[in-house]
Amino acid sequence: MSNGDGPIDIQRLIAEVAARHNVFLRPDDPGIALVTMNRLVLEDAMERIHTQIRATIGEFHASMQRAERRAGSMLAQGVKESGAQMRQGLQNDIHIAGLKAREIVHLVNEAHRRPR
């Protein structure tokens, strides 16, 4: 038999059956017709399976794209939140540094006001 890419080699089938089972068929034997019918049924079933596999792969790819978009959105939101937290932290640090600078300026001014 072939791999589904071409017609059945009837002469090879007849020779194989004769060699394996010592049964001699003719090309017009009903058994050969059954082999052809079986192959047609198998090819039809395989085509339906391939169609289902292609559809499943398409659904999988679409699902992966949705997951990638969602992950990207989640990452962007996380980066945005982290940026806001960093900005708030920097503003707090700047405010604290300003308070400390005022305190140092105040202490320097106090020191200059005192007589030596």
Side-chain angles (χ1 to χ4, degrees):
M1 276 218 229
S2 75
N3 62 4
D5 293 352
I8 300 172
D9 183 351
I10 300 295
Q11 293 305 321
R12 191 176 75 74
L13 270 177
I14 291 171
E16 281 291 323
V17 170
R20 291 183 187 190
H21 304 287
N22 203 29
V23 173
F24 300 95
L25 300 172
R26 295 181 321 274
D28 62 343
D29 193 286
I32 299 297
L34 289 175
V35 169
T36 301
M37 188 184 324
N38 186 44
R39 178 177 174 151
L40 293 172
V41 169
L42 180 60
E43 286 173 354
D44 182 61
M46 291 300 293
E47 184 56 39
R48 281 186 271 130
I49 289 169
H50 285 145
T51 299
Q52 290 173 348
I53 289 171
R54 283 188 292 272
T56 301
I57 289 171
E59 290 169 8
F60 176 75
H61 283 296
S63 176
M64 287 299 296
Q65 288 174 343
R66 285 191 302 273
E68 287 172 355
R69 282 192 300 272
R70 204 156 126 214
S73 295
M74 291 171 67
L75 178 61
Q77 182 63 32
V79 167
K80 183 179 177 182
E81 290 171 3
S82 293
Q85 289 174 353
M86 287 177 63
R87 188 172 36 257
Q88 184 62 44
L90 287 172
Q91 287 174 346
N92 289 343
D93 290 347
I94 291 169
H95 179 70
I96 291 169
L99 292 176
K100 287 181 180 179
R102 276 191 221 121
E103 183 181 342
I104 292 171
V105 168
H106 176 71
L107 291 174
V108 168
N109 285 336
E110 289 295 316
H112 285 294
R113 285 187 197 160
R114 288 189 211 138
R116 288 190 182 187

